[in-house]
Amino acid sequence: MALHAQTPADAPARTGVPAPVPVPAPAQAGRAATALGAALAERGEHAAAERALRRAVRCCTAAYGPDDPRLAVPLRALGAVCVARGRLAEAEALLNRVLVLLAGPGDGTEEES
């Protein structure tokens, strides 16, 4: 009888507990950077918050794609930081993008009134 080395990956099969669904590394980094940016913004550290939130947007874009609604969270936070830093035109563009992402894909038809 051959001995089988048991690894942590074998644990769910042995215990009957389902294995956790793996989250892509860029998604984890995006969530962490979003949380960090939000915390820094709350403390008034807007320059550091902006850097963290821009990283969050890059990571989430890499993980989910540029049109995924999950980008709305870091984009909204980045827009708020831009408002706090007095960059209102940039904030408006970011927040308009959030609205587009949350509206979802259109069906390509618009009703005329």
Side-chain angles (χ1 to χ4, degrees), residues 6-14 19:
Q6 294 182 350
T7 64
D10 295 331
R14 290 190 319 269

Side-chain angles (χ1 to χ4, degrees), residues 62-80:
Y64 307 124
D67 299 321
D68 193 287
R70 289 174 282 193
L71 280 171
V73 174
L75 286 171
R76 187 211 49 83
L78 181 57

Side-chain angles (χ1 to χ4, degrees), residues 13-99:
R14 290 190 319 269
T15 63
V17 176
V21 176
V23 176
Q28 289 176 334
R31 286 196 307 238
T34 299
L36 175 62
L40 289 167
E42 197 167 303
R43 290 178 49 146
E45 298 179 32
H46 296 114
E50 182 177 348
R51 286 189 301 273
L53 292 166
R54 289 194 187 281
R55 179 170 187 253
V57 170
R58 284 191 308 272
C59 290
C60 289
T61 301
Y64 307 124
D67 299 321
D68 193 287
R70 289 174 282 193
L71 280 171
V73 174
L75 286 171
R76 187 211 49 83
L78 181 57
V81 167
C82 287
V83 167
R85 298 192 80 190
R87 296 201 316 267
L88 302 182
E90 184 177 1
E92 181 180 21
L94 289 165
L95 296 173
N96 281 332
R97 184 169 173 210
V98 169
L99 292 174

Side-chain angles (χ1 to χ4, degrees), residues 19 33 110:
E110 292 192 36

